[in-house]
Amino acid sequence: MPTQTSTTYKWTEIEHLPEWDEEFYEVYTAKKFGKWVMMKTLKPELKEIPEYQAMLEREFEVRYNLAHSHIIMINDLEDVPGVGRCIITDDVYGDSLAKLIDKNEVTPDIVDKIAHDLVSAIDYVQTNHIVHSPIRCETVIFTEKIRNLKVIDVGFDQKNELAMADISDDIRAFGKVLSAALDACPERNVKYRAIADKCLSPSPYTSIGQLQMSIAGSSYKKFYISVITFLIFVIAILSLIIIFHP
């Protein structure tokens, strides 16, 4: 018989997060032995259907070994009293990009993290041939204090090789997310807007590598402009020194 510790103390403060629910899953936050975690479990109408039970198990197997700084980590698969069989993940306490857009809290720093950190996460997922649901503003999370980017719902199966359609879908999804962030940001970013438009155009980037090169190129241009501006400033100062102190 389960002990008081294993049934009551182990799981506390369980709360459903309906805004984070996925197509087949409900998402919860809870404390496991006093530590905050997140849980995803099949929706009630799917819990007893064998094919969806197998899908939950498969997602755990596929994602358990994924390790990337911008992808939420999976820790365990277990039965939680009152909830059911759950995939247990790290806690991601913060706001989705969708919520930041609604609250008018999208900053240039948020946009920059999408352009770099989200692409890095997508590249990792593609490198590991992970099949996943489309990345959306609702599945891109920014932690509460330092606004670190984390992607949830990043895989339910694994292939030997991804099809071009899978790669194209990721690029288009990224373009939609970046475009939404740019629309909500009070500061314009012409370079990122051009990249988002390219992702959504009839002739988009053909690979994540190509997309990354374009993003890196825009960053290098900013760096070179800053260096040139600094050098012009230094030359102007030196010229004044020479003129007034021959």
Side-chain angles (χ1 to χ4, degrees):
M1 178 178 293
T3 65
Q4 179 74 7
T5 298
S6 65
T7 58
T8 305
Y9 174 71
K10 182 176 182 179
W11 294 105
T12 58
E13 300 188 47
I14 299 174
E15 180 183 353
H16 182 208
L17 303 175
E19 70 274 18
W20 285 23
D21 283 352
E22 301 170 14
E23 183 178 3
F24 304 111
Y25 300 110
E26 290 183 340
V27 179
Y28 292 78
T29 184
K31 282 185 177 179
K32 179 181 179 180
F33 290 126
K35 178 183 177 181
W36 284 106
V37 297
M38 295 187 73
M39 311 182 298
K40 59 187 294 185
T41 187
L42 290 170
K43 291 185 176 181
E45 63 272 20
L46 305 177
K47 286 184 181 292
E48 303 303 321
I49 302 177
E51 66 176 287
Y52 290 102
Q53 294 171 345
M55 182 183 71
L56 179 73
E57 301 275 345
R58 177 62 177 161
E59 179 167 342
F60 171 74
E61 292 171 2
V62 167
R63 290 183 56 189
Y64 183 70
N65 290 317
L66 294 184
H68 188 279
S69 57
H70 300 297
I71 293 176
I72 189 169
M73 295 288 294
I74 281 183
N75 300 322
D76 211 341
L77 177 69
E78 57 183 293
D79 295 310
V80 179
V83 180
R85 196 151 183 79
C86 297
I87 291 175
I88 313 299
T89 75
D90 288 344
D91 178 50
V92 185
Y93 190 70
D95 295 317
S96 68
L97 175 59
K99 185 169 284 188
L100 292 179
I101 291 173
D102 289 342
K103 296 194 299 183
N104 296 316
E105 293 182 4
V106 177
T107 64
D109 183 57
I110 292 291
V111 173
D112 200 53
K113 286 179 179 178
I114 291 169
H116 293 88
D117 299 345
L118 180 55
V119 172
S120 176
I122 293 172
D123 180 50
Y124 179 81
V125 168
Q126 288 194 357
T127 299
N128 285 277
H129 306 154
I130 305 298
V131 182
H132 58 90
S133 301
I135 291 171
R136 301 172 289 116
C137 295
E138 290 79 6
T139 61
V140 178
I141 310 299
F142 290 89
T143 56
E144 184 181 36
K145 294 182 180 179
I146 62 174
R147 292 304 190 199
N148 187 27
L149 184 151
K150 294 281 186 177
V151 184
I152 61 175
D153 191 19
V154 294
F156 54 83
D157 205 352
Q158 191 169 26
K159 295 181 177 180
N160 291 328
E161 187 174 352
L162 292 180
M164 276 303 300
D166 295 321
I167 296 171
S168 298
D169 287 347
D170 279 345
I171 291 172
R172 184 168 183 80
F174 168 77
K176 287 181 179 179
V177 170
L178 179 58
S179 184
L182 288 167
D183 290 344
C185 184
E187 294 186 23
R188 294 182 63 207
N189 190 311
V190 177
K191 297 295 182 181
Y192 286 159
R193 177 63 70 183
I195 289 170
D197 289 346
K198 174 73 172 174
C199 290
L200 299 172
S201 73
S203 301
Y205 300 101
T206 57
S207 69
I208 288 295
Q210 191 180 69
L211 171 58
Q212 287 176 311
M213 287 179 64
S214 184
I215 293 170
S218 66
S219 299
Y220 291 148
K221 287 177 183 177
K222 289 180 182 178
F223 173 74
Y224 292 143
I225 290 171
S226 299
V227 170
I228 292 170
T229 302
F230 174 74
L231 290 175
I232 291 173
F233 175 76
V234 171
I235 292 170
I237 294 296
L238 291 175
S239 298
L240 290 174
I241 292 174
I242 292 172
I243 290 172
F244 290 104
H245 298 280

